[in-house]
């Protein structure tokens, strides 16, 4: 069978003596001038890369675990058709492991004077901003023997937001809130409640809620019903120090704390409360204040997107002072931090009275489910040692929690999956008890 086109040329090139290749173009011309001319023409007919015009469009925001499509438009203003291989480079965390090559490389053909689009699908594995790197193109001639290569910088940023997986718990928590806030009237008492309405007394009602003036004006005994006050202030404080970098499962503790904070913020904003955010280790990493109920959740998600644990010891005094400046009047301060003995006893406990004397304080911490599994290990010497170590770790956390409770702090200690609903329940219980 006769060889034609590119195959024939490659066969001819492959049959040339090594010495001809070593002699370069001069040696090639001396042996086979028509072949050399064909190669030179192939190179000359390849579309020049630097004259191409590249622009981007597409998604700028995506939740962690979802996909984002970024479209690259290639305009060919030259008089030669573009036949190219293209690599759209992004940081490695822009894709799931092992999928980068398939997702970032494209074949593209753009006729002279026209434009084409290629789409790169990102699936980020970390929160934060992902910035596009260089676009590399290798432009081939019609025979594919030689190519021109060049790069373009086409800036684009995709912000990767927290996944907010705990939003699945929001409907059930809102149902409890509706029972609490008076839409289905219930009798509640305590500091921080607002008068709702009068109704007829039924056996079992608290006699202290009887409205004697209203009773005197009618033939039945009237009692006041109450609803929790709205427009309470809630300050979410994220400890972004070294302890938040500890991994629990596949993610750092900070990610679980962010998820719990988002669920509480969504619930509290629906309850009519104002929610602020402070992220701190040795300096303020993020601060969100004064947002309306409609804007608070998008603002928190955007501020949390770029938060990363800092490998430094948290300055508890600085954190407390900043929290007091951020919340000048009585508020619910929710501190998402560790229950490890050393950071709490040496850092938090000495300054805790400054917070508790002015605010209601909740400390929420992420527990490691692996510790709970270790505590049930049996069957071998290693397993027994693991169980003993786990029991000791659990006892230390329990002891630390008890120290905090003696200062009037509500403590929520739960695994990553259980922390968001547990923290939301603690908020609802405080609201029902009139402690906000």
């Amino acid at each position: 069978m006769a060889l034609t086109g590119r195959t024939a040329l490659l066969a001819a090139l492959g049959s040339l003596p090594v010495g001809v290749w070593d002699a370069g173009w001069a040696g090639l011309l001396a042996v086979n001038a028509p072949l050399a001319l064909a190669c030179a023409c192939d190179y000359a007919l390849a579309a020049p890369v630097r004259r191409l015009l590249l622009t981007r469009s597409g998604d700028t925001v995506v939740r962690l675990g979802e996909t984002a499509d970024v479209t690259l438009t290639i305009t060919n203003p030259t008089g030669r058709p573009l036949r190219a291989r293209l690599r759209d480079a992004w940081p490695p965390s822009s894709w799931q492991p092992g999928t980068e090559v398939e997702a970032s490389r494209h074949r593209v053909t753009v006729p002279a004077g026209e434009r084409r689009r290629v789409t790169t699908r990102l699936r980020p594995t970390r929160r934060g901003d992902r910035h596009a790197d260089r676009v590399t193109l290798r432009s081939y001639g019609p025979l594919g023997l030689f190519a021109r290569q060049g790069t373009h910088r086409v800036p684009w940023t995709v912000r990767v937001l927290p996944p907010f997986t705990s939003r699945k718990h929001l409907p059930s928590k809102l149902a409890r809130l509706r029972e609490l806030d008076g839409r289905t009237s219930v009798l509640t008492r305590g500091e921080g409640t607002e008068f709702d309405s009068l109704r007829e007394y039924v056996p079992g009602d608290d006699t202290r809620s009887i409205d004697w003036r209203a009773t005197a004006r009618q033939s039945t005994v009237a009692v006041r019903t109450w609803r929790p006050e709205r427009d309470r202030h809630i300050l979410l404080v994220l400890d972004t120090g070294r302890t938040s970098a500890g991994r629990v499962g596949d993610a750092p503790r900070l990610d679980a704390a962010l998820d719990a904070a988002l669920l509480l913020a969504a619930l509290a904003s629906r309850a009519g409360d104002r929610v602020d955010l402070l992220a701190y280790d040795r300096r303020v990493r993020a601060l969100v204040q004064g947002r309306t109920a409609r804007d608070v959740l998008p603002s928190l998600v955007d501020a949390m997107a770029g938060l990363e644990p800092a490998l430094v010891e948290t300055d508890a005094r600085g954190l407390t002072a900043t929290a007091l400046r951020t919340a000048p009047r009585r508020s619910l301060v929710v501190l998402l931090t560790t229950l490890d003995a050393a950071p709490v006893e040496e850092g938090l406990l000495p300054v805790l009275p400054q917070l508790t004397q002015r605010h209601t304080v909740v400390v929420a911490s992420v527990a490691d489910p692996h510790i709970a599994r270790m505590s049930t290990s049996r069957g071998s010497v290693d397993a027994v040692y693991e169980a003993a170590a786990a029991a000791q770790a659990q006892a230390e956390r329990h002891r630390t929690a008890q120290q905090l409770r003696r200062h009037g702090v509500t403590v929520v200690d739960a695994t990553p999956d259980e922390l968001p609903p547990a923290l939301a329940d603690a908020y609802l219980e405080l609201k029902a008890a009139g402690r906000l």
Side-chain angles (χ1 to χ4, degrees), residues 109 151 160 183 187 200 248 251 323 384 394 406 419 421:
T109 301
T151 61
V160 186
R183 294 175 196 173
L187 188 66
E200 187 177 346
V248 178
V384 171
Q394 290 174 330
R406 283 196 287 271
L419 182 63

Side-chain angles (χ1 to χ4, degrees), residues 199-210:
R199 63 171 174 81
E200 187 177 346
Y201 174 85
V202 295
D205 285 342
D206 192 332
T207 56
R208 290 173 294 182
S209 295
I210 295 175

Side-chain angles (χ1 to χ4, degrees), residues 239-258:
D239 178 358
T240 55
R242 65 168 184 84
T243 57
S244 67
R247 298 190 72 82
V248 178
D250 295 330
R253 280 188 166 88
L254 179 60
D255 284 20
L258 297 180

